[in-house]
Amino acid sequence: LLWQLFREMVMQKKLLPQYHRDMAVLPMYFDMSRHGMRLSPKIGALLHRWEGETGEAKRALEEKAGIRNLDSADELRQAVYGKWKLKPPGYTAKGVASVDKECMQRLAARKSRHREFFVSLLNYRTQKTALKYVHSYLKLTDSEGVLHPGVNPTGTHTTRTSSSTPNGQNVAKHSDFPTRQFFVPREGYELWAMDYDQLEVRLFAWASQDETLMAELSREGGDVHAKTAGIFGVERKIAKGINFGWLYGAGNKKLGKLTGVSADEFVEGMKSTYPEAVAFMQKQDRTGRRVGYVQTLFGTPLWIDQGKTYSATNYTIQGSAGDVMKIGLIRVWDYLRRTELDQCIHPLILVHDELVFEVQKGTPRKHLREVKECLEYPGELLGWPLPVDAEKSRKSWGEMKEVKF
């Protein structure tokens, strides 16, 4: 009945391929949610230890800053900008010197005797947030200590998959707080992870046909973030934020501040290094203004608010990444069902560009190689490689080791 109701709209907006893709991936998503991910039986002891370490970190920072409560913005502001007399990197809407994450990151990037304080402060805030997530996980487990996150193929505007109750996207891979160590395999199984290598950057390079980006990504050990770091003389970590901020539509003025140059100098630096990429972004913005939507590399249309056409490139790349993941997952699920391996290889969770499996011990490695190739298949459709890295662990999701096939 719903299909009959919406069929005309789906056909009119050219959404039929996306509709079929989302319907095809649903059985795998249902199975992922049903199977769930197991939390460590030792989670109580682990939490107690990490809460203690977080508390110690807080007290050390409070002593260093000479304040009573590190979580008080007013006290922290007085220490940083009053007592230490540091120049504020930014201000709140009310015109008060800010102590938010972005400002603390910029202070951590400055060369000063207080730099380590800001690095430790950012780590503490990450740990504090991660602890909240873990406590929420405990409230959502079933009687066997298993979490069953919901997986939604239509939960975003860009074809990306979303997750809820809990949001599995929050389990960061590279974090100063080892949240992933709380997730362990069931008895007789091991965890495997398949993660696309620099997926968004690779799709951006292919979409824009930027020669510098493509050459860097084609080179053994190529590193686009290191390339950008060299342009502006900043740390690679800062350059990574700049690249993704640029790709996601952050303002040139804001990105210029991260590099220590003006907005015009930032644009000129990017244009001289990545000319085709800049031209592509400008073209996507014009397309969004003219027709109100852009298309992914696989033809999926994504509508854009007229006031937000600066996000046209982001929609194109995020949407293409969502298409890649779904095309790869459909191929994986078909392979597992066809070979009856779905009883010993269980997809568990999807986090951005990473798919985590629970694999029965003793499963021939050739089947995992086939899964990896299924995920890489969308690259064959484009004619541009989209390599996937593999890892595994018998201990926890936070203790994965690289696997070479």
Side-chain angles (χ1 to χ4, degrees):
L1 182 61
L2 285 174
W3 167 243
Q4 293 301 323
L5 185 64
F6 291 106
R7 182 176 185 276
E8 186 177 343
M9 183 191 74
V10 169
M11 299 289 286
Q12 185 180 13
K13 293 196 172 185
K14 302 176 183 178
L15 293 172
L16 194 59
Q18 182 183 350
Y19 168 79
H20 286 310
R21 199 152 46 230
D22 288 344
M23 292 299 291
V25 84
L26 270 178
M28 184 180 194
Y29 286 176
F30 283 137
D31 191 72
M32 288 165 67
S33 184
R34 178 190 62 79
H35 194 77
M37 290 192 74
R38 183 175 179 241
L39 285 176
S40 170
K42 301 176 182 178
I43 190 168
L46 290 171
L47 260 179
H48 180 73
R49 190 181 92 206
W50 281 317
E51 283 175 330
E53 291 175 357
T54 303
E56 288 177 12
K58 183 186 180 193
R59 287 188 290 274
L61 287 165
E62 287 169 340
E63 184 178 342
K64 193 173 292 186
I67 58 179
R68 296 182 63 182
N69 182 7
L70 187 66
D71 298 326
S72 166
D74 287 337
E75 287 191 44
L76 184 59
R77 185 180 296 112
Q78 182 56 39
V80 174
Y81 304 124
K83 185 166 64 176
W84 294 345
K85 301 188 183 304
L86 297 178
K87 183 180 179 181
Y91 295 85
T92 67
K94 294 182 178 180
V96 179
S98 176
V99 290
D100 66 7
K101 180 179 179 180
E102 182 183 334
C103 287
M104 297 302 98
Q105 285 176 330
R106 285 161 66 179
L107 288 172
R110 289 182 188 174
K111 292 180 180 179
S112 77
R113 62 191 182 93
H114 300 294
R115 182 178 179 276
E116 286 305 315
F117 173 86
F118 297 110
V119 172
S120 298
L121 174 64
L122 289 166
N123 290 345
Y124 159 75
R125 287 181 174 178
T126 299
Q127 292 170 0
K128 184 183 171 187
T129 301
L131 280 169
K132 287 182 181 178
Y133 289 146
V134 175
H135 279 291
S136 71
Y137 299 159
L138 289 172
K139 297 176 183 177
L140 295 168
T141 56
D142 64 17
S143 58
E144 296 181 354
V146 176
L147 274 175
H148 300 273
V151 189
N152 185 357
T154 60
T156 70
H157 292 297
T158 62
T159 81
R160 283 284 202 177
T161 297
S162 66
S163 175
S164 59
T165 58
N167 183 359
Q169 309 288 343
N170 289 329
V171 190
K173 185 173 186 178
H174 302 292
S175 171
D176 296 300
F177 187 80
T179 316
R180 293 188 171 203
Q181 288 189 21
F182 291 109
F183 296 91
V184 298
R186 291 170 174 82
E187 191 70 32
Y189 285 80
E190 55 193 17
L191 294 178
W192 279 72
M194 302 281 184
D195 191 7
Y196 284 97
D197 176 45
Q198 303 182 81
L199 178 61
E200 292 166 11
V201 177
R202 288 181 182 278
L203 290 171
F204 183 42
W206 181 250
S208 65
Q209 291 291 294
D210 187 272
E211 292 182 5
T212 303
L213 283 175
M214 295 179 75
E216 188 66 25
L217 290 167
S218 300
R219 184 174 63 83
E220 183 71 28
D223 189 336
V224 172
H225 304 312
K227 185 85 173 176
T228 301
I231 301 171
F232 300 106
V234 296
E235 294 179 3
R236 184 187 181 279
K237 186 176 181 179
I238 300 294
K240 184 176 181 180
I242 291 166
N243 281 339
F244 283 115
W246 184 49
L247 190 56
Y248 298 160
N252 293 327
K253 184 177 179 181
K254 179 179 179 180
L255 295 171
K257 285 182 179 179
L258 288 175
T259 61
V261 300
S262 69
D264 289 342
E265 288 173 319
F266 172 76
V267 172
E268 192 54 42
M270 297 304 271
K271 188 184 291 186
S272 63
T273 309
Y274 310 117
E276 294 89 355
V278 171
F280 172 76
M281 296 177 82
Q282 293 170 342
K283 176 188 172 186
Q284 292 302 96
D285 183 79
R286 290 194 300 271
T287 300
R289 290 176 190 276
R290 189 178 73 254
V291 300
Y293 69 91
V294 291
Q295 288 185 310
T296 70
L297 291 171
F298 296 89
T300 305
L302 300 170
W303 275 260
I304 303 175
D305 293 339
Q306 280 302 302
K308 297 182 178 179
T309 54
Y310 59 83
S311 63
T313 299
N314 179 35
Y315 269 44
T316 303
I317 303 308
Q318 291 290 338
S320 298
D323 287 346
V324 164
M325 183 59 81
K326 287 175 182 175
I327 292 168
L329 292 180
I330 292 166
R331 205 168 175 88
V332 168
W333 188 242
D334 177 67
Y335 173 72
L336 295 180
R337 301 282 285 183
R338 181 164 35 85
T339 56
E340 299 184 353
L341 286 166
D342 54 327
Q343 299 304 309
C344 58
I345 300 178
H346 302 283
L348 299 183
I349 194 169
L350 185 63
V351 182
H352 303 299
D353 305 327
E354 178 185 16
L355 180 63
V356 181
F357 301 85
E358 196 168 54
V359 180
Q360 195 170 43
K361 291 178 181 176
T363 300
R365 187 166 291 193
K366 65 179 182 180
H367 297 309
L368 279 307
R369 186 191 304 113
E370 188 68 32
V371 167
K372 178 178 180 289
E373 291 173 359
C374 285
L375 290 172
E376 292 174 335
Y377 171 70
E380 296 179 26
L381 296 179
L382 291 177
W384 172 244
L386 300 175
V388 171
D389 298 324
E391 297 177 315
K392 74 167 187 172
S393 173
R394 294 188 174 186
K395 295 179 179 180
S396 77
W397 190 14
E399 301 169 90
M400 308 290 271
K401 302 294 182 184
E402 185 181 10
V403 176
K404 294 289 187 183
F405 288 98

